[in-house]
Amino acid sequence: MNQVIGASVSRKDGQAKVTGTAIYSAEHQIPDLIYGCLVTATIASGRIRAIDTREAEQASGAIAVFTHRNAPQVFNPNENISRLSESRLPLSDDRVHYAGQIIGLAVADTFERAREAAHLVRVEYEPQAPIVEANKATYVPAPQWLGEDLTYEQIDVNTGNVTTVLASAATQIEAVYTTSMELHAPMEPHAIITHWQSPDMVTIYEPTQAVLMSQRTYADLLGLPTERVRIVSTYIGGAFGCKFLPWPHSILCAAAARELNRPLKVVVSRRQMTANTGHRSETEQTLRLGALADGKLQAIEHTAKSITSPLEDFPEACTIITPAMYAAPNMRLSQELAVMNVGSPTFMRAPGECPGMWALESAMDELAWSLNIDPIQLRLINQTDQHQRKNLPFSAKYFAECLEVGAKQFGWQDRPLQVRSLTRDGKLVGLGMASTTFPGYRGSTSAKVRLLPDGTAHVMSAGNDMGTGAYTVVAMTAAETLGIAVDKIRVELGDSTLPDGGVAGGSQMTASLTPAVKLACEAVLRQAQAQSAQQASEQLKQSGRAAFEATASAAPGEELEKFAFQSWGAHFCELTVDEAIGRVQITRWVSVINAGRILNAKTAASQIRGGVIMGIGTALMEEGHFDPNTGYPVVYDLATYHYPTHADIPRIDVTFIGEPDFNFNPMGVRGIGEIGINGVSAAIANAIYHATGKRIRSLPITPDKIISV
Ligand code: MOS
């Protein structure tokens, strides 16, 4: 039977979410719950000379105030076990490394009283001048990069002789591209409830993209056997990378709850989140491309700079994507990192790749104009069937098909080939395109399937759904394999008591988890020795047996030595520019993607649309800065941090080539969570160039840049 996979199925969790019955981490009702409010530093660098908690402790309803002088016990992390967003443990000393760093936790019997107590903590600082401006920071070669598959990768490449070849190339492009600090800004703030049922057993309700990894980390830090920590992460209201690994507030909450022996909730306020739960660093990239007159690249030099905190080495690995995208006999890629007094940056949707593709795909457009070659043609000439750093062939690529289908749908060939040649309603009109690509990651997972006498089945895994549609594709996989309707499948995810479901990072949940679900379903059918699930359920009914149940695991294997797995696509953008007021409005969008077999046409298209919308934010609006005096982020909520609303977004047409990649896994599926955002800002800047003749190399492209360039 093959009718479920590929269909458009509405989210299984959709109704619960829109009717408010889905319970998010902070919403669990636990008797005797108490509330913590974070106290955060108001200087960006220095130390705490004195901290006076007496008034806070006397406030009505106050239960405790934790500072570095009475920090609750946390064990030093074992670096083979714990994975943290920020290496320094909370409240570990009197040092302040960035504005907004957690320096205390006030606990009370209600949230309002906890907040009041937090405001009553008096702090005297010994401040130092912070470094919060990128042009004053000191850059050094970046360390190895912890990729979204959570292995370390060396990102620098140096082949051939870039300097000589660039100097003698027929055509050369050299340009500097910048991006701004960006926030994840998920709808659901970071929130945690920790409930110690006994001195050696804790349940942690927290949105996390990596359930079992987080379980191991908490166990390590709290000095417990792993199985004495239970993580519950049933629903996540958006994560985008910032909920990958535990942050200091989470660790502090777990440790304080143990000391107080009461269930404790900590919600990070929207304002606090702009400082201490991660962001994407600003970047500065220099691209040098040398090409022959026919467009063939002879040399690529791509250097990138990003900023990290004093507490974590996290480079924004912009150059990681370049050797996958294009080939050139001479290639030099390097990455530099500088420390500033800012919160720790972290993974954010297509970390590295998103700003990397902005620079690379802008530079390719500049090269296409200077050579007078169609930008699609330039990409076809230079794309490669072999990953230039991994030296492995790509599996099921179909990039050329993406370009071809997109160009046709969009009407690319009909565009005028001059800048400033199209107008509509008194505005300039521009068309632009860019490529997109993202690696195919896959991890080890397990799933348990239970078939019941009533003809329904229950699928269980600790893997989670951060809003991407995992509940639905897991149900579809089981429905297809068992041959029963999707609505007869109940899916339980996001609980560490269930089999390890891997991580929802690097767009890998579907490719990792659905193969295990498929195997577990097949094992159930084998166990029943039945032709169909229906027949097996019938057997159960007659025999009085409760269920057929099987657990299966799936993991990547030797295919990783034979292929480079990567998804591909192209974006096409039409926009209008009102030069008088600097306003850019996107009017049409076409994205064509090949990400292997598509399991759920509806939620997959939504993932791409979400990526494009986030990319439009990156291109035109999203921007965080630090106040040069205080070091505080000058954006502090969803009003000061601008991102797109419905009025900013046109219809987004998404087409999948859908060519299965059975080299990658038995489902033939690669990830779709991140590929949508890559290349979006370049497609927009390229269209703005076509509309106006102005090449803008700094994001976001706010009205002032349109007016002044
Ligand atoms: Mo990642 S940025 O959590 O897929």
Side-chain angles (χ1 to χ4, degrees):
M1 183 188 283
N2 190 349
Q3 53 194 36
V4 185
I5 295 298
S8 269
V9 176
S10 292
R11 279 166 205 280
K12 275 191 92 65
D13 47 333
Q15 198 175 345
K17 283 181 171 172
V18 296
T19 56
T21 56
I23 305 294
Y24 288 82
S25 293
E27 298 173 328
H28 286 274
Q29 301 297 314
I30 293 166
D32 239 13
L33 185 67
I34 55 177
Y35 300 80
C37 183
L38 300 170
V39 182
T40 57
T42 56
I43 62 163
S45 179
R47 58 176 286 275
I48 297 164
R49 184 185 298 140
I51 190 160
D52 182 352
T53 57
R54 281 169 301 183
E55 213 183 327
E57 281 156 8
Q58 300 307 314
S60 60
I63 293 167
V65 180
F66 295 98
T67 69
H68 65 277
R69 293 177 318 184
N70 62 340
Q73 189 184 26
V74 179
F75 294 94
N76 281 327
N78 175 335
E79 60 181 39
N80 297 320
I81 298 172
S82 283
R83 289 272 177 268
L84 297 169
S85 297
E86 187 169 288
S87 306
R88 177 182 180 269
L89 294 174
L91 310 184
S92 49
D93 56 31
D94 62 0
R95 301 284 310 167
V96 176
H97 302 274
Y98 58 87
Q101 178 191 310
I102 296 167
I103 57 168
L105 180 73
V107 181
D109 57 356
T110 70
F111 167 69
E112 289 77 9
R113 287 166 148 181
R115 191 171 55 180
E116 170 68 5
H119 287 167
L120 292 172
V121 175
R122 310 275 172 233
V123 189
E124 230 180 276
Y125 297 101
E126 214 172 273
Q128 281 166 1
I131 300 173
V132 288
E133 290 166 285
N135 58 2
K136 295 190 181 146
T138 307
Y139 292 86
V140 297
Q144 287 204 332
W145 186 62
L146 179 65
E148 282 190 285
D149 55 352
L150 296 163
T151 61
Y152 285 91
E153 259 185 86
Q154 184 60 47
I155 44 187
D156 288 2
V157 168
N158 196 349
T159 53
N161 191 338
V162 169
T163 311
T164 315
V165 174
L166 277 174
S168 62
T171 303
Q172 212 220 98
I173 290 293
E174 174 173 348
V176 177
Y177 304 90
T178 63
T179 65
S180 293
M181 183 267 247
E182 288 182 281
L183 298 173
H184 304 74
M187 274 166 74
E188 178 204 26
H190 288 260
I192 178 169
I193 295 176
T194 53
H195 182 197
W196 289 83
Q197 281 99 342
S198 70
D200 65 350
M201 174 74 214
V202 64
T203 298
I204 297 177
Y205 303 90
E206 182 177 43
T208 169
Q209 295 170 241
V211 175
L212 265 70
M213 194 181 301
S214 140
Q215 178 194 34
R216 290 191 291 271
T217 299
Y218 282 110
D220 182 34
L221 297 175
L222 298 169
L224 294 176
T226 309
E227 64 281 4
R228 307 302 285 174
V229 177
R230 180 181 174 200
I231 307 290
V232 179
S233 196
T234 319
Y235 295 108
I236 302 179
F240 313 113
C242 65
K243 292 171 183 165
F244 210 152
L245 308 172
W247 288 98
H249 72 272
S250 331
I251 301 159
L252 184 53
C253 178
R258 168 150 68 182
E259 205 129 304
L260 299 172
N261 198 21
R262 294 272 296 272
L264 174 63
K265 166 152 79 177
V266 172
V267 177
V268 186
S269 74
R270 194 57 72 175
R271 180 167 200 149
Q272 290 167 342
M273 276 172 66
T274 63
N276 62 30
T277 50
H279 60 270
R280 192 202 300 274
S281 165
E282 61 191 280
T283 68
E284 183 187 298
Q285 300 173 67
T286 305
L287 250 299
R288 291 194 183 89
L289 303 178
L292 300 175
D294 66 0
K296 186 83 192 113
L297 285 169
Q298 294 300 292
I300 302 175
E301 186 179 57
H302 187 177
T303 62
K305 291 177 177 177
S306 71
I307 303 295
T308 193
S309 79
L311 305 176
E312 193 61 41
D313 282 341
F314 188 93
E316 184 70 18
C318 303
T319 59
I320 195 128
I321 205 73
T322 310
M325 201 61 232
Y326 300 115
N330 305 280
M331 194 180 289
R332 185 160 61 213
L333 312 175
S334 68
Q335 192 84 33
E336 292 183 352
L337 188 62
V339 172
M340 295 204 310
N341 294 105
V342 300
S344 298
T346 195
F347 307 101
M348 180 166 161
R349 203 173 201 165
E353 289 104 350
C354 178
M357 286 294 277
W358 142 249
L360 184 59
E361 290 298 283
S362 291
M364 286 296 276
D365 199 66
E366 298 200 39
L367 183 62
W369 281 99
S370 78
L371 288 166
N372 203 15
I373 291 180
D374 185 320
I376 292 181
Q377 190 57 27
L378 185 65
R379 283 158 175 88
L380 287 171
I381 292 171
N382 290 295
Q383 65 101 22
T384 166
D385 293 330
Q386 172 127 343
H387 193 294
Q388 300 290 295
R389 181 165 42 78
K390 297 178 181 166
N391 295 321
L392 291 169
F394 291 115
S395 174
K397 185 168 176 180
Y398 300 94
F399 173 53
E401 286 74 2
C402 295
L403 291 167
E404 193 185 319
V405 170
K408 204 159 159 204
Q409 264 188 34
F410 188 73
W412 179 252
Q413 302 307 340
D414 305 334
R415 78 201 185 289
L417 298 177
Q418 307 302 321
V419 301
R420 303 186 72 87
S421 53
L422 272 178
T423 56
R424 190 193 300 151
D425 303 332
K427 292 174 212 154
L428 291 163
V429 178
L431 286 77
M433 61 80 54
S435 321
T436 178
T437 182
F438 190 82
Y441 291 120
R442 182 187 172 200
S444 313
T445 64
S446 302
K448 189 197 300 191
V449 172
R450 188 183 286 151
L451 185 71
L452 301 167
D454 64 1
T456 66
H458 185 180
V459 186
M460 291 156 275
S461 172
N464 61 355
D465 186 333
M466 57 169 158
T468 47
Y471 279 108
T472 316
V473 290
V474 164
M476 290 171 78
T477 304
E480 167 118 349
T481 316
L482 294 170
I484 58 181
V486 178
D487 60 10
K488 292 220 175 339
I489 312 284
R490 184 157 75 87
V491 181
E492 204 181 329
L493 296 176
D495 187 323
S496 63
T497 57
L498 303 174
D500 186 356
V503 303
S507 304
Q508 67 180 291
M509 183 50 81
T510 301
S512 303
L513 184 55
T514 58
V517 172
K518 181 173 191 276
L519 287 174
C521 291
E522 287 165 355
V524 160
L525 291 177
R526 267 201 311 278
Q527 196 187 105
Q529 293 183 317
Q531 293 305 313
S532 67
Q534 207 184 349
Q535 198 187 68
S537 288
E538 226 22 77
Q539 283 177 35
L540 288 170
K541 222 186 285 176
Q542 278 160 22
S543 67
R545 183 173 167 174
F548 290 118
E549 183 181 294
T551 301
S553 301
E558 59 185 23
E559 72 278 4
L560 298 182
E561 272 114 64
K562 295 189 194 138
F563 297 101
F565 296 101
Q566 188 99 11
S567 287
W568 304 89
H571 296 297
F572 294 83
C573 163
E574 181 200 83
L575 49 75
T576 62
V577 180
D578 184 339
E579 275 190 317
I581 57 168
R583 183 179 193 214
V584 175
Q585 183 116 42
I586 316 282
T587 48
R588 273 199 307 137
W589 197 276
V590 168
S591 298
V592 182
I593 306 287
N594 183 41
R597 188 153 69 132
I598 294 305
L599 302 191
N600 184 349
K602 187 175 186 177
T603 51
S606 293
Q607 277 300 297
I608 302 304
R609 289 194 182 100
V612 171
I613 292 166
M614 208 164 172
I616 291 172
T618 296
L620 300 178
M621 297 157 209
E622 297 185 39
E623 148 174 55
H625 293 284
F626 300 94
D627 183 305
N629 299 310
T630 63
Y632 249 98
V634 295
V635 292
Y636 46 83
D637 57 23
L638 297 185
T640 51
Y641 187 70
H642 294 167
Y643 58 42
T645 64
H646 281 80
D648 300 305
I649 304 300
R651 178 195 163 91
I652 297 170
D653 285 313
V654 177
T655 302
F656 293 105
I657 301 294
E659 201 57 48
D661 187 352
F662 291 119
N663 292 324
F664 191 38
N665 59 59
M667 295 298 290
V669 61
R670 296 192 298 245
I672 44 174
E674 287 157 287
I675 189 169
I677 196 173
N678 282 348
V680 169
S681 44
I684 291 171
N686 298 346
I688 290 173
Y689 180 75
H690 184 233
T692 64
K694 292 172 184 169
R695 178 61 66 179
I696 300 175
R697 302 188 183 91
S698 117
L699 296 185
I701 304 173
T702 41
D704 53 307
K705 293 176 188 169
I706 300 275
I707 291 170
S708 66
V709 171

